[in-house]
């Protein structure tokens, strides 16, 4: 199950409440000194909301390895430092379904479908104002970046949220609220929407 949505839309909470194993796709961000990181237009800020700030190839490898073997290595990523600080092993055992959640999950919908490992792809849509408030309070509490950076990013994302959701839907994700997402996750876990092959 791929779970995407704008930053702050509640993906981590929904994934945790599903009761399924969770692969955090945000751990596959590139490191802050990577020369391929994109910048916000007209600014020196790194654009952490651009898909090019994320390593899709390594994320897909982790998903397919989980499907094939039930375990995979996952980077430990420190958002405040914009750096990978280690690696841990995620094990899901014989569980036939898990949630891979992250801001850029929609970017790999088609690849996962072609690989035969996709059960469903959901995009959480909560509304720009709600998402702005949730994102800012979370990022401030966790000390992810400086307050000026968080405010600039928050304002930019609030204005772009409808376009972000539209893009993720165009990539194959189904837009829904928290309750519908939890219902679809529960249905898949119960086998009512299970694919014929192991799924992510």
């Amino acid at each position: 199950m791929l779970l995407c949505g704008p930053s702050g839309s509640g993906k981590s909470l929904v994934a945790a409440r599903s009761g399924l194993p969770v692969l955090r796709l945000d751990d596959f961000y590139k490191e802050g000194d990577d020369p391929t990181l994109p910048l916000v237009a007209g600014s020196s800020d790194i654009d952490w909301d651009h898909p090019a700030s994320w390593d899709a190839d390594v994320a897909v490898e982790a998903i397919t390895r989980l499907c094939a073997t039930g375990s995979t290595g996952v980077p430990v990523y420190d958002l405040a430092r914009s750096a990978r600080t280690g690696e841990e092993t995620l094990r899901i055992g014989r569980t036939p379904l898990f949630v891979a959640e992250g801001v850029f999950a929609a970017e790999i919908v088609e690849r996962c479908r072609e690989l035969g490992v996709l059960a469903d792809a959901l995009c959480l849509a909560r509304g720009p104002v709600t998402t702005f408030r949730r994102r800012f309070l979370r990022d401030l509490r966790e000390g992810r970046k400086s307050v000026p950076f968080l405010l600039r990013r928050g304002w930019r994302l609030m204005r772009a949220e409808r376009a972000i959701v539209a893009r993720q839907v165009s990539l194959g994700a189904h837009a829904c609220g928290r309750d519908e997402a939890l219902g679809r996750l529960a249905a898949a876990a119960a086998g009512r929407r299970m694919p014929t092959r192991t799924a992510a």
Side-chain angles (χ1 to χ4, degrees), residues 70-198:
S71 68
T72 188
V74 181
V76 176
Y77 195 90
D78 186 327
L79 290 169
R81 295 168 56 188
S82 302
R84 296 178 181 180
T85 59
E87 182 176 286
E88 60 186 12
T89 300
L90 174 63
R91 295 183 175 87
I92 64 170
R94 299 174 62 85
T95 303
L97 195 73
F98 64 93
V99 179
E101 65 91 3
V103 174
F104 302 121
E107 302 294 323
I108 58 175
V109 168
E110 189 56 35
R111 290 173 66 175
C112 287
R113 181 177 289 118
E114 290 174 353
L115 290 165
V117 297
L118 182 67
D120 203 355
L122 307 177
C123 171
L124 283 183
R126 304 289 294 276
V129 175
T130 298
T131 305
F132 172 87
R133 183 175 63 251
R134 287 175 49 89
R135 177 176 53 241
F136 181 74
L137 291 175
R138 177 204 64 194
D139 292 352
L140 191 63
R141 181 176 65 252
E142 297 179 4
R144 293 189 172 190
K145 303 292 178 187
S146 69
V147 172
F149 179 92
L150 294 178
L151 288 172
R152 290 194 302 272
R153 176 178 181 250
W155 175 248
R156 185 175 70 251
L157 289 179
M158 184 173 71
R159 296 176 63 189
E161 179 156 330
R162 289 185 175 85
I164 292 169
V165 171
R167 171 178 167 76
Q168 294 184 351
V169 169
S170 74
L171 290 171
H174 170 72
C176 58
R178 179 190 60 192
D179 292 344
E180 183 181 352
L182 286 168
R184 290 174 74 117
L185 287 165
R192 295 194 296 274
R193 291 180 58 84
M194 290 294 290
T196 55
R197 295 179 61 182
T198 354

Side-chain angles (χ1 to χ4, degrees), residues 7-31:
S7 174
S9 58
K11 298 179 295 297
S12 297
L13 179 61
V14 166
R17 288 184 59 183
S18 74
L20 295 167
V22 178
L23 173 65
R24 298 184 308 270
L25 294 178
D26 288 352
D27 286 331
F28 295 91
Y29 268 112
K30 296 176 181 177
E31 299 198 77

Side-chain angles (χ1 to χ4, degrees), residues 36-99:
T36 66
L37 284 169
L39 298 179
V40 175
S43 167
S44 60
D45 289 342
I46 294 172
D47 190 351
W48 295 107
D49 301 289
H50 191 288
S53 68
W54 183 68
D55 198 333
D57 291 338
V58 178
V60 170
E61 287 176 10
I63 288 172
T64 54
R65 193 175 300 113
L66 267 180
C67 292
T69 70
S71 68
T72 188
V74 181
V76 176
Y77 195 90
D78 186 327
L79 290 169
R81 295 168 56 188
S82 302
R84 296 178 181 180
T85 59
E87 182 176 286
E88 60 186 12
T89 300
L90 174 63
R91 295 183 175 87
I92 64 170
R94 299 174 62 85
T95 303
L97 195 73
F98 64 93
V99 179

